[in-house]
Structure formats: structure tokens, C-alpha cells
Amino acid sequence: MAIIGKRLVDQVRSTGLKATVAQRLDDGFTRLTSGLSWNDVRGVLRGDPPGKPNNRVKPHTEAFWFHIRPTFYHEAVTTLYPTFRLGYMSALFFAIEIITGIFLMIFYTPSPERAYQNMLDILTNVPFGQLMRDMHRLGAEVMVVVVTIHMWRTFLTASYKKPRQFTWFTGVILLIVTMFLSFSGYLLPWDQLALWAVTIGTSMADAAPLVGPQVNLLLRGAPDIGAGGLLRFYLFHVVLFPLIGVIFVAVHYYKVVRYGISLPPEMEGVGEDSARKVGPDKRVNFMPDILTNELVYAAIAIALLTIASGTFYNAALETHSNPLVTPNHTVAPWYFYWLQGLIKIPHILPVLPEALSTQFDSIMFNVLGITPKILWGIIIGPVIPLLLMVVPYIDPNPSRRYSDRKVMITLGVIFEVAILYLSLAGIPTGVPVTRFGFVGGDPASEIAQEFMPDEGVGKVKRVPWDQLAVGTWQIVPPDEAPNAPEFNHLLRELQQDMDHRTREADPNGKKLSGGTANVRVKLIQPDVKEFTLTISFTDDKGQPQQYSKTNYLHRNSGYEKE
Amino acid sequence: MSETPTSPRGAAPPGAKAPPGFKAPTGAAPAPNPIDAPAPQMEPGVDAPKAAAAPPGAKPPPGAKAPPGATAPKPAAPKPAPVAAPVAAVAVAPVAIAVKPAAPKPDPAKVAAAPAVAAAPVAPKSVSRREFLNYVWGASMALFLAQFGGISFLFAMPRFREGEVGGRFSQSVADFGYDANGLPNANNVGKFWMVKVDDTINAIYKVCTHLGCLYGWNSTGKIFACPCHGSQFAVDGKWIAGPAPRNLDAFKMQVLDASGNVIATSNEAGEMLKLPANADRIIVDTGAKISGKAHF
């Protein structure tokens, strides 16, 4: 201590107080940056050329955060093509999810008694709570998209080839982790969507061969999702999957430092990898060029995410979970639609004519005990991610050129189209382009679901309270209520929907026949109105049937403003 | 490439102290017959990659006939003194290999040595004591990890007893059938419908066999219909349409008469049970679920 004090005194004597303080501060700064003094950093910020020797590589060799980034890139990969910055964006969204997630964790308790109340608190009582939640939710969905496109880009430019096979392998693991992270977060709000979407998801695990029921129990913590399941999903979401994600991001990043970013395929000879053999004139240093560039991308992405979350995007919160009622049209998350579409394939060989494929199915069932659902949902479904993992190990073609990879790119496009088609087919409400769409309720209940959904707001609740004209109103043809333009508009829309369903069959080939309907609005309390839609129609057997559904609306609900 | 000869161990003079773990034939004198050196004294790590790549005794490496030092890429190659060479080969070669496994094949030390001497660092074919013990340690760790995995599985499995979710429910005969609105009666605690078709009854699990949603009663079609993916089932649980892979699951039932004797039970397939005339109560055991028949 005395020696340090003496040195300080000596320095002050010889150079003066101001210079000593400046020198000591710069010394501390240099330690923080692992080797760059304040003047060096200013040089980086000004865009000065690096000195010789280039001390800007010091943070890359000495410090943790920069050692997972390369010191320079080939100039060919610093343009938008070929990377489109998708890997960087994936990591950025992972970071955004971690930060917003920690904020949400502060106000959240993973228990069925408290979770939903916590959500309401976050949305109403916590400053910026709704923004945090919207950013977390939207960021998660965007992250799934970005990671998927990142993989698709890597496939198209054949960047998975030697020596980057294992980088691709870890990338597929990260894709799966991303999906599971997103999915495990579904349950936490403990609303109806949470409970039933996760019930559907874990039931998919239940259908897996041999281990399915055990996996299902491990996930749910009980035969049905309850307190145990909520706690388990919370731990998956905030501990297990982020941990796996961080580990594999580290491996993934290390491989990028080790092998560099692969050059555009057309720039390399066949079987050659020159990403790390970059002449001095082709180098773009990480500091400052790449760093500045990445900061701009981060700023744009965060700005867009914040604006979207602050304006039009609202993460839905449905009613409190109810284990006794499944709401209509409950769906798994959209990134699992392809799996649902797969389960809907009606035959083992769906390309054969109907009669033949039914024959074939019965033979397969009697001989091997395989049904189309076992084949498509339980055998083919899990094989797809495994197939993705081994792509670099089974692709025999050493060339990365597009013109040499016609077969592989065609296969990739077929795969992509198949996944998109299956996703469309997996949408529960059905899409007419698919042969095996939705097997739903009768048209009358579908009309009611469209205007008065079990969960969410719907068109009926958006009519302003004052305009809900008390009385009974016919829909075919639509009555006109006085001074109620939006209510009359609703009646006309109902009439058009009924007319549409009478003329055109839905994806199941069902039509509404002989449909008439009325709406009855009753004031049942000073501030509550009862809205009942009753549809009369003739069923398949020619019997008259009636379907009705009721919504209750309060004067101060405020749905019309949403 | 260049650090190998200049590294302290590589530059050790011939006859200097052998590196730890490697017992060179002692003394500065040439080894009388290095082939006789006991194999277990070799370190597994020292000889593995290089010696396997170039078994010296069997086939001399390319360039072995070249004069020593002429083809050697290392500037500081050991002096090819005829007397000191055998010892240098024995003492230096394994170290050079260990430090730099990718060293070029014409190793100067080996080149300098006579073929018989170069055979000294051959891979031992037998397992050394240390190697064996390391395998044993590894195996015991693997065994421990396997046990830990099994324990983790048991630890993470939820704890509940059969029947704890629901249990055995006692229902009257009149419970089976429809209510005033034409809706089948249900037990919401046990999660089953109590359906009746003519004089047959069944206790049908309320969960869809597709993906676990609770299907509902469609009063217009008089069928069960699932709100999630639209599977449809007849009132007796038979699959009609949709993605569900099998008929609805049922619970095992026992039919008791007035004095408590069991007079009928569900069959193995969980089909509709014909109600005996003297039936009084029906015990529904939700711990005994019978999977519906698969269709294709």
C-alpha cells in the first residue's frame, strides 16, 4: 500500500496531477476493454485504420465477449447476401427474449392460484408491463421465423458442407430448442389457450411409440395439466431450455470463429473452403466495420419490435383456464401445424385412388398393424428433425455451386412446399386447397363461432353498447334497427355469411340448408344486455334443427375500441 | 513445426533425463536391445497416433533411406552422431510425437536410428496397468451416470396412485341416459359420460382420443364432436369422422344388484354393457381405462 502510494506521489510530482489522473483513468479503461485505450476506442469510433501492430485484435484474444466473434470477415460475406444477417438476428432475438423474460419473471408466480392474476397485474398495474409481454411474445414468434429462414438460407448456399457439418447439426438443435422455448412459454399465462394448446402439444408426445405415455407424464406432472404441469413448464421455460440454448449457441458461435462464414458458393472452387484464407485486401475488420453494422441492425430490429408491440400487436390473454371446457377451435401453435397436417393424411399411400388406398390400408393394418396415423404422425413426424440433422453427413456432393446441386435444391424445395402444404392442412378451420381439411361442426355452429367465438372478442362484442337495439330482429332478410348503423351492419354481415354457406360448401362439403335466423337483444340488468343468435335449419336427414348461442355485454366492456 | 525441436524436452541432450512417464533404457550408452524394452512401460498417449501410422519394423517410412538430416524438415534436428543416435531416438522420438502428432513422417530421429532401434516406440499391443485402470474408472463413472439417469427419471416422475385422479364412482342406474335437454349425463369429477343406448350402458372418458381436448355434445347431430380438430364420435363412443385414431376410451364398470353382488362387468374391449334387469348400482373405476379400438 505504501509502495503504491509512493509511486502515485512520484508520478504526480513528475507529470502533474491532471496528467496522472488522466493516465490512471485510461489505465482502468484499457483494462475494461482488454487492451484498448480511450484513444484506441476513439480511433475505432472514428473509423481510423488500425495501427501496426493492430491492437484491436486484443479484445478478440483476451476477452470473452469478443473472442466468440472473428477478428475479420471476408468482404464477400459482409453484404446482405449471402447471410442476410439471419444468424445474428437469431442471437439478437434470443437476447431480447432473455431480457424481457427476466422482467416478466419478476411479477410472475408459477402456480394455478396466482399465475392468471399475475398476468392481469402485468397488463394493468406494472409500468410498461404490457409492452414487455408483447415484446416477449412477438419476439418469440419472430425468433422461430428467423431461425427457420436461417436454416433454409444455410441449406440453399450449402454452407452446411465440410467443414461446417457439425455447425449445422447444432443449428438444428437450436431450431428445436427455439420451438420448445416458445411452446413451453405458452402455458404460463394459465388462460384457456395456454391450458388447451399445451394439452394438445403434450398429447402429441403421448402418441409417440414406446416412451410416449412416460414422456407425457414427465411433462404434465400428472395425468392432466395442473399445478405440477405449470411448475414443470415454467422450469423448462426459464431454466432447462435457455441453458441448452446458451450452450449450443456457444458451440455454434465457436464454430463460426473457427471456420469463418462460408463465402458465396460461386466464389469458391468445388470442395474448397477459403473462408479463413482471406488476403489483407479482402478483409473487413470486425472493429469497427462489422461491429457498427451489427449495431445498426440491432437498432432497427429492436425499434421495429418495440413499435409493433407498442401499437398494433397485442398478445392475447383469454379467459382463465378451465379444465372442464375446451373452447372451440383450440389450436396448437402455428409452428406445429405441419405435424397436425401430417396426422390428417387419410391413407398410407394417399396418391392412389380412394378405393385402392383403402384396400392397401386394410392390408397394412392386418399384416403390420400400422394405421395411417401411426405411420404419418408417430413414425414420419419425429423422423423429420432427425433427417434435417444428418443432411450434411449424407449429402455426397462436395460442390456448393447452385448449378451442381440441382437435385438437392429440388429436394429441399419439395420438402419446404410439403411442410407449407401440411401446415395449411393442419389449420383446424381448414383450407380449401387441401384434400383433407377440417372435419367440423355443422354450419350453424360455425357461423356462431365466427361472430361470437368462445375465446376472444368477435364481431358481436365490437358493436357499441348504445347501438345494441333491444328487441328481436330477423336476419333473412335483415331487419333495420333505427339509429344503429353498426348493429344493422352486423345483421347484414350475418345474412351474407348465411347466404354464402347456403350457396357454397365448406371444406367438409357441408352446406347450410333452409337457414333462417334471428337475433334477440334483451336488457337483463341496467348495464348488461343479452345477445342471442338463433339459427334454424334443416339437417342432413331433413329434420328441422335449431342452434343458438348467447353473449353477454356490459356497458363498460370497451370491446368496440379494440 | 519448429517448436518441437526447440522445446525444452525435445532439445534435451541425448541421455538426459527421460520425460516423465517414459522410461528410456538408462545410461548414456546405447541401448543393448531396445526391442526388449518391456511393452507395458510405454504410455498409451505417447505412441498412439504416430506409431500406428508408421510401424517402423514392418515397413520403413518413406525417405528412410535418405541420409539423415538431408530430408529432415527441422533445422535443429538432433546431431546424427552414430553412437548417440540410438539413445536420441529412444529419448526424443516419443516426445516429439506427443508434442506434435502431425509431425511429418520422415522423423529425423527415426531416420537417424537403425531400423531395430526405431522399433522401440512401437505401440504396445497389450493393455498397460494404467490404461486398464483408466478404463475401469471410466466404466464406473458411466455406471454411475446410468444410475443417476434412472434415479432422475424416478425423481421427476409425478407421484400419484391409480384411482387418485377420479377413483371408483358409484352411480345409480338412473344416472345413465339423457337429461331434460337431451344432453347425456356426465360425471365431471371422474371425467366420464354416462351414456345409454337402448338397454346398454357405458362410462366413456371425456377426453378425445386424438389430442386430449374435451369433446362436447352436438345436440343437433346427436353426436360427440371435438372443438379442437373436429373428430366426431357416436353416442356409444364409436369413431365417425375426423383425425382421432381410435374409438373413445371407456372406464371399467361393475354392475351391482341391490345386495351388493357383482352381476356384470365390462368386457376387455370396453364395449357397451347390457344392463341386467336387477341392476341397482354401477361402480365406475376411472383407474381402469380401456383404450378404444383403433380404426384405419
Side-chain angles (χ1 to χ4, degrees):
Chain A
M1 196 63 211
I3 295 168
I4 295 171
K6 185 168 182 298
R7 275 198 203 143
L8 189 63
V9 170
D10 288 349
Q11 196 184 354
V12 170
R13 273 189 188 138
S14 61
T15 62
L17 180 66
K18 214 171 140 187
T20 305
V21 171
Q23 193 271 329
R24 292 287 162 125
L25 281 177
D26 202 32
D27 208 39
F29 187 83
T30 309
R31 282 163 198 263
L32 280 178
T33 58
S34 299
L36 295 186
S37 70
W38 171 237
N39 271 333
D40 294 335
V41 171
R42 283 189 67 200
V44 170
L45 297 178
R46 274 199 303 265
D48 292 346
K52 278 186 182 171
N54 182 0
N55 62 352
R56 289 176 193 172
V57 300
K58 270 192 185 168
H60 291 281
T61 53
E62 304 286 325
F64 177 78
W65 291 111
F66 277 87
H67 103 282
I68 58 174
R69 310 308 309 277
T71 49
F72 60 84
Y73 285 141
H74 192 292
E75 63 178 11
V77 298
T78 58
T79 48
L80 194 59
Y81 171 84
T83 67
F84 302 98
R85 298 294 192 285
L86 289 164
Y88 174 69
M89 281 294 150
S90 310
L92 176 72
F93 275 99
F94 192 31
I96 292 174
E97 291 305 293
I98 290 174
I99 294 167
T100 54
I102 288 173
F103 280 125
L104 293 172
M105 276 170 77
I106 298 172
F107 297 100
Y108 180 80
T109 317
S111 105
E113 288 80 28
R114 309 257 324 254
Y116 191 77
Q117 184 60 46
N118 287 161
M119 294 307 297
L120 295 178
D121 275 347
I122 288 171
L123 293 183
T124 56
N125 285 341
V126 177
F128 298 106
Q130 185 169 9
L131 181 72
M132 281 298 148
R133 178 171 184 243
D134 288 349
M135 283 179 75
H136 194 71
R137 184 67 173 265
L138 184 60
E141 313 250 338
V142 172
M143 189 175 157
V144 174
V145 175
V146 170
V147 172
T148 312
I149 304 176
H150 179 45
M151 185 182 76
W152 183 225
R153 186 289 289 179
T154 311
F155 176 82
L156 282 183
T157 60
S159 302
Y160 59 83
K161 293 197 175 176
K162 195 183 169 191
R164 296 183 183 78
Q165 298 100 322
F166 192 68
T167 320
W168 166 277
F169 184 89
T170 57
V172 178
I173 291 178
L174 285 172
L175 173 69
I176 296 170
V177 166
T178 305
M179 285 185 170
F180 281 4
L181 265 174
S182 189
F183 177 65
S184 58
Y186 249 71
L187 186 65
L188 306 188
W190 204 241
D191 60 355
Q192 279 285 65
L193 175 70
L195 180 65
W196 292 106
V198 174
T199 298
I200 290 172
T202 47
S203 294
M204 287 183 185
D206 189 51
L210 304 176
V211 296
Q214 268 72 26
V215 172
N216 188 30
L217 273 180
L218 281 177
L219 291 175
R220 290 184 177 181
D224 293 320
I225 294 173
L230 180 57
L231 185 58
R232 276 160 198 246
F233 270 75
Y234 179 72
L235 293 176
F236 289 142
H237 189 68
V238 305
V239 180
L240 184 64
F241 293 143
L243 189 68
I244 298 174
V246 166
I247 289 171
F248 278 95
V249 165
V251 176
H252 205 71
Y253 259 77
Y254 173 72
K255 293 287 178 185
V256 175
V257 177
R258 177 71 183 78
Y259 298 122
I261 292 176
S262 65
L263 301 187
E266 61 275 11
M267 285 184 64
E268 288 188 326
V270 172
E272 189 183 309
D273 177 53
S274 44
R276 296 299 288 165
K277 298 171 193 144
V278 187
D281 56 324
K282 302 276 187 208
R283 291 185 183 189
V284 177
N285 285 319
F286 186 80
M287 255 184 281
D289 302 326
I290 306 291
L291 187 64
T292 329
N293 189 279
E294 287 185 346
L295 286 177
V296 171
Y297 274 94
I300 293 173
I302 293 172
L304 289 180
L305 182 67
T306 314
I307 291 169
S309 308
T311 55
F312 62 87
Y313 183 81
N314 287 310
L317 183 67
E318 300 189 341
T319 49
H320 194 288
S321 70
N322 180 356
L324 292 180
V325 177
T326 307
N328 259 324
H329 293 189
T330 297
V331 294
W334 55 266
Y335 39 84
F336 288 139
Y337 278 178
W338 61 274
L339 203 52
Q340 298 203 4
L342 215 50
I343 299 173
K344 281 187 183 174
I345 296 177
H347 301 295
I348 287 176
L349 284 175
V351 287
L352 295 179
E354 184 73 27
L356 257 179
S357 52
T358 311
Q359 281 268 316
F360 187 73
D361 288 348
S362 93
I363 292 169
M364 290 297 279
F365 182 70
N366 292 328
V367 176
L368 295 173
I370 292 178
T371 69
K373 268 145 204 133
I374 293 177
L375 177 74
W376 295 111
I378 301 171
I379 299 175
I380 302 291
V383 162
I384 287 178
L386 293 178
L387 193 70
L388 286 176
M389 283 182 184
V390 300
V391 160
Y393 303 102
I394 58 175
D395 183 358
N397 182 356
S399 175
R400 290 183 54 218
R401 306 277 175 90
Y402 297 114
S403 51
D404 296 340
R405 299 180 64 234
K406 288 182 183 121
V407 174
M408 203 59 185
I409 290 182
T410 309
L411 285 176
V413 171
I414 290 172
F415 177 80
E416 193 64 24
V417 169
I419 290 286
L420 287 177
Y421 180 85
L422 287 170
S423 297
L424 280 178
I427 297 174
T429 43
V431 173
V433 295
T434 59
R435 184 175 144 198
F436 31 93
F438 176 56
V439 186
D442 54 66
S445 63
E446 291 301 315
I447 292 172
Q449 174 66 19
E450 192 179 326
F451 284 82
M452 309 156 77
D454 287 358
E455 291 294 335
V457 177
K459 288 176 178 166
V460 166
K461 287 188 178 173
R462 287 191 204 282
V463 176
W465 203 81
D466 297 335
Q467 295 197 22
L468 281 171
V470 173
T472 302
W473 312 92
Q474 292 302 320
I475 291 175
V476 189
D479 284 341
E480 289 272 336
N483 302 325
E486 294 197 35
F487 183 71
N488 290 334
H489 181 68
L490 176 79
L491 296 185
R492 279 198 300 280
E493 273 192 290
L494 271 167
Q495 188 265 327
Q496 281 160 12
D497 195 37
M498 287 183 63
D499 185 47
H500 178 75
R501 286 178 196 268
T502 309
R503 280 185 286 109
E504 280 178 41
D506 67 8
N508 319 311
K510 284 187 184 171
K511 282 185 182 181
L512 183 72
S513 71
T516 62
N518 69 55
V519 164
R520 193 189 60 204
V521 181
K522 239 166 98 178
L523 190 69
I524 58 167
Q525 282 176 23
D527 290 321
V528 178
K529 281 175 183 170
E530 182 192 70
F531 182 104
T532 307
L533 171 69
T534 306
I535 301 172
S536 309
F537 61 99
T538 318
D539 69 7
D540 307 342
K541 300 169 191 113
Q543 300 292 317
Q545 296 286 355
Q546 213 172 54
Y547 179 90
S548 66
K549 190 166 186 172
T550 300
N551 271 182
Y552 295 94
L553 295 109
H554 191 274
R555 182 193 292 275
N556 299 330
S557 302
Y559 289 129
E560 69 272 14
K561 295 188 198 85
E562 279 183 19
Chain B
M1 179 85 11
S2 61
E3 66 261 42
T4 306
T6 55
S7 71
R9 292 199 289 179
K17 195 180 159 211
F22 179 74
K23 289 180 185 166
T26 49
N33 190 356
I35 298 174
D36 289 343
Q41 289 177 346
M42 297 295 195
E43 271 306 292
V46 168
D47 45 51
K50 186 64 194 173
K59 192 179 169 191
K65 283 170 189 163
T71 54
K74 301 177 185 176
K79 208 169 78 179
V83 178
V87 179
V90 173
V92 174
V95 177
I97 289 160
V99 172
K100 200 81 183 172
K105 283 183 179 178
D107 190 311
K110 275 188 197 166
V111 172
V117 177
V122 169
K125 290 285 184 277
S126 62
V127 175
S128 76
R129 185 169 59 185
R130 177 181 288 217
E131 184 186 3
F132 173 75
L133 282 176
N134 279 330
Y135 288 147
V136 172
W137 281 119
S140 67
M141 285 302 288
L143 183 66
F144 169 75
L145 285 179
Q147 288 171 336
F148 189 76
I151 290 166
S152 306
F153 173 76
L154 292 176
F155 188 80
M157 266 318 243
R159 262 148 291 280
F160 62 92
R161 288 187 300 277
E162 199 154 275
E164 193 172 301
V165 184
R168 286 166 68 86
F169 292 86
S170 175
Q171 305 287 352
S172 72
V173 174
D175 288 339
F176 286 78
Y178 299 88
D179 69 6
N181 299 324
L183 184 75
N185 291 322
N187 184 323
N188 283 334
V189 179
K191 282 198 171 177
F192 56 87
W193 298 97
M194 293 174 279
V195 298
K196 187 172 188 184
V197 177
D198 301 327
D199 59 345
T200 62
I201 60 165
N202 211 348
I204 295 178
Y205 189 34
K206 288 184 92 167
V207 173
C208 180
T209 51
H210 176 219
L211 287 176
C213 292
L214 295 182
Y215 54 86
W217 177 248
N218 182 325
S219 54
T220 56
K222 302 271 185 279
I223 53 169
F224 293 117
C226 184
C228 292
H229 305 94
S231 293
Q232 295 177 359
F233 307 91
V235 71
D236 61 359
K238 285 213 171 61
W239 173 84
I240 299 173
R246 58 180 200 267
N247 294 344
L248 291 173
D249 300 338
F251 290 127
K252 196 159 181 131
M253 297 182 296
Q254 288 180 331
V255 182
L256 308 183
D257 65 11
S259 49
N261 300 316
V262 177
I263 51 176
T265 53
S266 304
N267 63 10
E268 291 295 311
E271 288 163 349
M272 299 293 285
L273 176 63
K274 188 159 169 30
L275 204 55
N278 57 342
D280 180 48
R281 300 203 67 76
I282 291 116
I283 307 291
V284 177
D285 184 2
T286 58
K289 193 172 78 182
I290 303 165
S291 283
K293 187 170 167 286
H295 67 84
F296 56 86

